[in-house]
Amino acid sequence: MTLGANIGATHSSALRGLAAVVGGVATAIAVSVAAVVAVVFAATLVVVGFMATALLGLAAFALRGRRPARAKASTDPNLIEARNVGGHSWVAYGWNERR
């Protein structure tokens, strides 16, 4: 009986060694896959950050373009002020007071 117990123990220790090697290989593969997934996720975050920055920049330009332009005060007495009242209609102010 002791001989059979030794054979089983030897066989079991061989399987343990093989299981340790297979487990090490599986761990290495899992670590490699996790590293690749982490790099892909980080690259995705960088791309999303660039897109958000571009979107905010375009929104800033769009909002800046919507602001009405301020007329510069002119010192030329020959210039009159005119405002667009819709479509092709304009109204001039102060033209009859300056002579």
Side-chain angles (χ1 to χ4, degrees), residues 34-59:
V36 169
V37 169
V39 168
V40 168
F41 182 69
T44 302
L45 287 178
V46 169
V47 169
V48 168
F50 282 143
M51 290 173 62
T53 302
L55 181 64
L56 287 175
L58 289 175

Side-chain angles (χ1 to χ4, degrees), residues 8-46:
T10 306
H11 183 67
S12 176
S13 64
L15 284 180
R16 286 183 188 166
L18 181 63
V21 170
V22 171
V25 170
T27 301
I29 291 172
V31 167
S32 301
V33 169
V36 169
V37 169
V39 168
V40 168
F41 182 69
T44 302
L45 287 178
V46 169

Side-chain angles (χ1 to χ4, degrees), residues 76-95:
D76 188 5
N78 295 326
L79 292 178
I80 60 173
E81 181 181 351
R83 295 191 189 259
N84 187 344
V85 292
H88 295 286
S89 301
W90 290 81
V91 175
Y93 297 98
W95 61 271

